[in-house]
Amino acid sequence: MTSFKKLEVFDGTEDVERFIDRFEFAVTVDELDTKKEASYLAMHLRGAAYDMWKGMEASDRKDVKKIKQTLRETYGIRRAAAWRAMITYRIGSGQQLDSACEQLHKWAKIVT
């Protein structure tokens, strides 16, 4: 299990696809039994990513495909799109400040 010792943990702030690719590589190199994949994946989650896993249905937490799907849905394209929208956002002429703050807050909840 030397590959898993070198695998970084995922807390939701890094690139989710990179993490999943490296996890799958470790599974292949160490010839991990498919029954253990979900447990090993969960052991490499921290912070918000672990909380996301913990909030899944008990049966889904044992299914590595469902865990990966949920990780992608939570930290994938939607998160990147919210980040881009946040950093490029400009307050429009005549726009109320509270409306701008509300929009930024909505994106910030997705990003964090």
Side-chain angles (χ1 to χ4, degrees):
M1 298 297 154
T2 57
S3 295
F4 283 100
K5 290 179 183 177
K6 296 178 182 179
L7 181 65
E8 70 273 0
V9 296
F10 181 75
D11 64 4
T13 59
E14 304 86 18
D15 179 5
V16 69
E17 289 302 326
R18 182 178 183 278
F19 169 73
I20 290 173
D21 286 345
R22 292 189 48 85
F23 175 80
E24 290 172 348
F25 181 71
V27 167
T28 302
V29 169
D30 288 344
E31 298 176 349
L32 184 65
D33 181 12
T34 55
K35 294 178 183 177
K36 295 181 180 181
E37 281 186 49
S39 297
Y40 272 75
L41 181 57
M43 288 185 337
H44 285 84
L45 301 176
R46 297 286 183 272
Y50 178 79
D51 293 341
M52 180 255 358
W53 172 83
K54 195 74 172 155
M56 294 174 67
E57 294 290 325
S59 60
D60 290 347
R61 289 194 310 241
K62 297 176 184 176
D63 186 340
V64 73
K65 289 180 183 179
K66 289 188 180 183
I67 297 170
K68 289 177 189 178
Q69 176 185 356
T70 304
L71 284 170
R72 285 182 170 117
E73 289 172 358
T74 306
Y75 299 105
I77 295 169
R78 191 181 86 151
R79 185 169 187 257
W83 181 255
R84 279 191 300 278
M86 236 174 79
I87 63 174
T88 60
Y89 185 73
R90 299 290 180 258
I91 296 176
S93 176
Q95 183 179 11
Q96 296 294 321
L97 187 57
D98 61 339
S99 138
C101 289
E102 186 178 310
Q103 189 68 24
L104 288 168
H105 182 71
K106 178 183 80 173
W107 289 324
K109 286 193 316 190
I110 295 170
V111 172
T112 56

